[in-house]
Amino acid sequence: METILFLAHTESDGSLGQAALESLAAARTLAAGLTGSTLIAGLVGGSVQSAADQIAGCGATRILGVAAADFASSRYSTDVVAVEALARAAAATIVIAPATSRWNRVLAGAAQRLDGRIDAHATGITAADGKPGLTRWYYRQRMEAVVQRTRRPWFILLEAGCAAAWNGPAGTAAVESVAAPLTDANRRTIVTGVQAPPTDQQTIRPDAKLLFVAGAGWTKAQPDGKAHSVEAEEIILDFLGKTKASLGSTKSLVDLSGEGQAVLKFMTHLNQVGQTGSTPRHPKGLATCCHGEEPHTVGWRFINERRAINLNPNCSWAQGKADVLYVADAFVVMRKVNALLAAK
Amino acid sequence: MPTSYHIVVCGSIVPDPLQTLEPVTTPTGPALKNELLLPAVLDPWAGHALFEAAHLAKQHPGSKVWLVSIGPKAKLQQVMMTVAQKVPFELIAIDGPAGGFTESAEIAAALAEAIQGLPGLDKSRLLVFGGWESATRGAGTTLQMVGERLGIVDQFQGVDQLTVRPDGSFQVLERIEGGRHQVSSCGALPALCGWATGNLPEPPNNPQVGMLNMRTVMPALQRAKPTKISNEGVTFPSVSLPKQRRETKIVKDMPPDDIAREIVEWIGKE
Ligand SMILES: Cc1cc2nc3c(=O)[nH]c(=O)nc-3n(C[C@H](O)[C@H](O)[C@H](O)COP(=O)(O)OP(=O)(O)OC[C@H]3O[C@@H](n4cnc5c(N)ncnc54)[C@H](O)[C@@H]3O)c2cc1C
């Protein structure tokens, strides 16, 4: 018998985001799969009433809330107090929370305070033979394991896109307010804002249907013996503008940018996918001018349909990683792709 | 605020990413096939943390950098031969497992204990650094627990930039969703930063730095105390490699116009 705490923070508009609703669905499924378990919701935010109303029909036996201006934005020193207070108030044995950047940076600290354990980046939560378990990847998405624990409380951070979001009825919820006392020591860090690239250079779009990955080939000497970085930049930006695809990069390409070489100006380390970059989730992916070695292809682990354009038929994409490899010049093909998209 | 720092970097070793990895079952849980034979490198994000630490220390004379590393002693020694050439630090080595299946809470306990035992450590000047996630477990949990054990509540993860202002306070940029950064400022130490890539290139090898470091690296390795990680209460019913190998259709000699049309059609399909 487990007491499962679904733990979420509000978004800036006071609502619960998609990832939170997915975790709620996973928490409900787990509770249903473990006979005699209880589901409790715990919410953190500047105010939590509208979030509570949003999930009023989720079947949680209690909805607990920590709400105050101090909890409106992500800050370790205050969030850790809120999470600890909620987990204690719920007497939670399992805590299921969305793997947002906000929760990722604090839940392990809270687990430590409760003498519990934590698994981050879970990709699935199951109840097999009455035992809770989870799946997650090790060695940067290179092997997948099932994990079970006897130690409680057990905190689980569930990755976005791994469960269908709960979409039950809203209502009016009664929120039990939980005290999360702060001192000046919790307020030494002051969150001053968010820094985002200018909108025309905002190339990372987690919700995009397509991930477009650019490799170092875009900056290499082409058949005429010259590099064409400016043209590469135009082609890529044009494509991103027309498709609203998210832009990924290989390590080689972002490293070139870091070394100040004349390369794609809008490319930063945040675009890097792969072993030492990110592993985004998108339904489709198009890799261009990427060699496709193992550390790079790890970045494609969670891309469903994959195509690639490369001059070299022996590029490692040809070895079972992409569905289709077009052996062609990406400059030529992508220019034509842009023209077709423009004509649409 | 202090004008010089005690920077403790937590970082260990990982198998070289270019190696093929295969899980095996051992009496103590999952591990990698030939784990001790695989060539290893400094964990990439921990490496960035180390380089950022050295950079900060250089800008603030009187600062000191420690590198606290838990790993199999012999492997640590191999990797330190290269790392020691990069930037000045004092190594604190702990002999223990460095694999992905070791329990991060137990690793955190061992790291915190080692940090607490550093002679002359001044907490009012302390910055604890590390990679925000390892390339083994990749969880982003260890540093937070180290911080808690040391009573550090000013913690930052996914850090790409730390700027010290003239008044000694500092500004931190942490990665958040959508390629953006959350900006915070903090006026007090101790603080903890789990680094992402940061902004510094990998420093070139410097034999002079190497010679200086080696004076403490070798004794530190000899002194390395064994630590027992029991992975209490955790089991791994299965560990597997992704089986899926795609049947790649290789399209050669198709005119670019046709390829473009096919791609546009594919992108548009629901
Ligand atoms: C510790 C470590 C960590 C790593 N982590 C990562 C990681 O996180 N992410 C990552 O991506 N890599 C990572 N790597 C590097 C990885 O192993 C590869 O070196 C890298 O991905 C190669 O990048 P690339 O494909 O852009 O470049 P290249 O290997 O230079 O390939 C360029 C490709 O472009 C093609 N090309 C050139 N011109 C054209 C054209 N006009 N049209 C079509 N094709 C063209 C060429 O045929 C070639 O295949 C890591 C390596 C190490 C050692």
Side-chain angles (χ1 to χ4, degrees):
Chain A
M1 273 208 323
E2 305 280 357
T3 303
I4 299 165
L5 175 67
F6 155 66
L7 179 72
H9 57 77
T10 58
E11 299 300 316
S12 50
D13 65 357
S15 70
L16 294 182
Q18 171 82 6
L21 298 174
E22 291 171 7
S23 288
L24 173 57
R28 280 169 49 98
T29 308
L30 183 66
L34 300 171
T35 320
S37 296
T38 319
L39 176 68
I40 298 176
L43 304 174
V44 179
S47 72
V48 298
Q49 187 61 49
S50 58
D53 290 347
Q54 192 183 345
I55 58 163
C58 76
T61 54
R62 299 162 72 192
I63 298 186
L64 312 177
V66 168
D70 271 313
F71 303 105
S73 59
S74 169
R75 173 171 61 181
Y76 181 90
S77 54
T78 38
D79 278 348
V80 73
V81 177
V83 173
E84 180 188 2
L86 287 170
R88 284 195 196 282
T93 58
I94 295 181
V95 179
I96 295 180
T100 58
S101 64
R102 180 169 179 178
W103 275 168
N104 279 347
R105 78 165 65 90
V106 69
L107 254 61
Q112 174 66 36
R113 288 191 176 192
L114 291 150
D115 202 20
R117 292 288 186 263
I118 182 163
D119 285 293
H121 300 303
T123 50
I125 302 174
T126 53
D129 308 327
K131 265 196 202 167
L134 59 83
T135 48
R136 71 182 301 279
W137 291 78
Y138 285 81
Y139 291 93
R140 303 284 307 157
Q141 342 301 343
R142 290 174 72 180
M143 55 190 76
E144 191 181 27
V146 176
V147 184
Q148 291 180 337
R149 290 181 183 271
T150 52
R151 181 100 169 210
R152 301 288 184 271
W154 182 10
F155 284 71
I156 300 170
L157 282 158
L158 181 66
E159 283 294 294
C162 295
W166 180 79
N167 67 352
T172 308
V175 180
E176 282 178 55
S177 171
V178 171
L182 302 176
T183 67
D184 286 348
N186 301 105
R187 298 191 179 94
R188 289 191 303 208
T189 292
I190 298 162
V191 177
T192 53
V194 166
Q195 208 173 75
T199 13
D200 61 331
Q201 287 171 34
Q202 176 57 281
T203 56
I204 299 172
R205 303 180 174 119
D207 298 327
K209 295 230 168 9
L210 177 73
L211 175 73
F212 178 84
V213 182
W218 282 103
T219 62
K220 297 263 159 87
Q222 292 303 310
D224 63 358
K226 291 188 209 123
H228 295 267
S229 301
V230 175
E231 204 184 339
E233 206 167 280
E234 281 165 13
I235 294 174
I236 294 170
L237 279 181
D238 190 17
F239 179 75
L240 295 178
K242 289 193 165 83
T243 55
K244 299 286 170 248
S246 189
L247 177 65
S249 168
T250 63
K251 183 174 189 297
S252 304
L253 186 54
V254 289
D255 283 353
L256 289 173
S257 313
E259 286 156 16
Q261 298 196 22
V263 282
L264 312 176
K265 285 193 283 298
F266 46 86
M267 203 62 109
T268 74
H269 277 291
L270 299 179
N271 291 100
Q272 186 191 323
V273 299
Q275 175 107 16
T276 47
S278 63
T279 39
R281 281 167 199 277
H282 298 276
K284 292 176 190 171
L286 178 62
T288 52
C289 306
C290 299
H291 184 65
E293 282 174 64
E294 175 68 13
H296 166 209
T297 44
V298 159
W300 285 77
R301 185 68 78 222
F302 305 124
I303 304 295
N304 301 342
E305 293 179 35
R306 310 171 189 166
R307 297 195 178 193
I309 308 173
N310 199 303
L311 282 173
N312 180 358
N314 298 321
C315 122
S316 329
W317 280 111
Q319 298 168 11
K321 288 162 194 147
D323 305 311
V324 182
L325 170 69
Y326 298 103
V327 181
D329 186 330
F331 279 85
V332 178
V333 172
M334 291 311 295
R335 229 185 272 119
K336 290 187 187 291
V337 165
N338 285 339
L340 287 174
L341 289 170
K344 266 196 166 181
Chain B
M1 288 291 287
T3 52
S4 65
Y5 302 100
H6 279 176
I7 313 173
V8 181
V9 182
C10 303
S12 189
I13 55 174
V14 301
D16 185 322
L18 296 175
Q19 296 296 314
T20 304
L21 305 182
E22 202 183 309
V24 291
T25 308
T26 75
T28 54
L32 298 180
K33 191 172 173 186
N34 298 328
E35 187 156 336
L36 290 178
L37 298 176
L38 290 171
V41 296
L42 184 63
D43 198 342
W45 276 316
H48 290 294
L50 178 65
F51 306 147
E52 293 282 348
H55 182 70
L56 191 63
K58 201 170 169 185
Q59 289 173 318
H60 295 88
S63 299
K64 176 163 183 180
V65 177
W66 286 267
L67 174 62
V68 183
S69 249
I70 303 180
K73 205 163 154 170
K75 294 251 79 148
L76 275 181
Q77 180 168 344
Q78 279 169 20
V79 175
M80 287 307 148
M81 291 298 154
T82 325
V83 177
Q85 312 265 338
K86 301 282 177 193
V87 292
F89 62 84
E90 182 177 329
L91 177 70
I92 308 297
I94 302 162
D95 193 11
F101 302 101
T102 47
E103 175 56 47
S104 89
E106 294 179 39
I107 293 287
L111 287 170
E113 192 189 314
I115 295 171
Q116 244 139 3
L118 290 178
L121 186 76
D122 179 356
K123 272 202 174 176
S124 69
R125 296 199 280 154
L126 175 63
L127 281 165
V128 175
F129 280 11
W132 69 321
E133 288 181 354
S134 68
T136 52
R137 193 185 306 108
T141 54
T142 310
L143 281 180
Q144 292 175 44
M145 293 188 274
V146 170
E148 279 297 322
R149 285 178 175 271
L150 298 173
I152 303 176
V153 295
D154 292 296
Q155 296 200 15
F156 309 91
Q157 296 294 336
V159 175
D160 272 326
Q161 194 175 303
L162 182 150
T163 317
V164 178
R165 299 209 191 85
D167 68 356
S169 68
F170 55 93
Q171 187 197 59
V172 185
L173 262 57
E174 293 171 276
R175 289 188 181 184
I176 57 171
E177 284 78 6
R180 297 172 305 152
H181 285 103
Q182 172 163 300
V183 187
S184 305
S185 68
C186 183
L189 292 181
L192 178 144
C193 289
W195 280 90
T197 310
N199 294 306
L200 300 175
E202 181 168 332
N205 287 350
N206 179 337
Q208 259 170 328
V209 169
M211 255 148 50
L212 213 66
N213 277 340
M214 273 307 160
R215 278 195 228 147
T216 60
V217 165
M218 291 315 289
L221 286 162
Q222 275 151 14
R223 270 198 311 271
K225 275 201 222 114
T227 185
K228 187 152 170 39
I229 305 293
S230 57
N231 287 346
E232 177 250 312
V234 59
T235 47
F236 298 88
S238 86
V239 181
S240 55
L241 293 173
K243 276 167 222 75
Q244 196 185 12
R245 210 190 127 83
R246 303 213 169 189
E247 285 305 317
T248 307
K249 185 171 127 196
I250 299 179
V251 181
K252 274 194 226 173
D253 306 322
M254 188 191 260
D257 281 305
D258 295 352
I259 297 179
R261 208 166 303 123
E262 211 174 282
I263 288 175
V264 170
E265 210 172 281
W266 171 65
I267 291 172
K269 245 192 279 168
E270 271 308 306

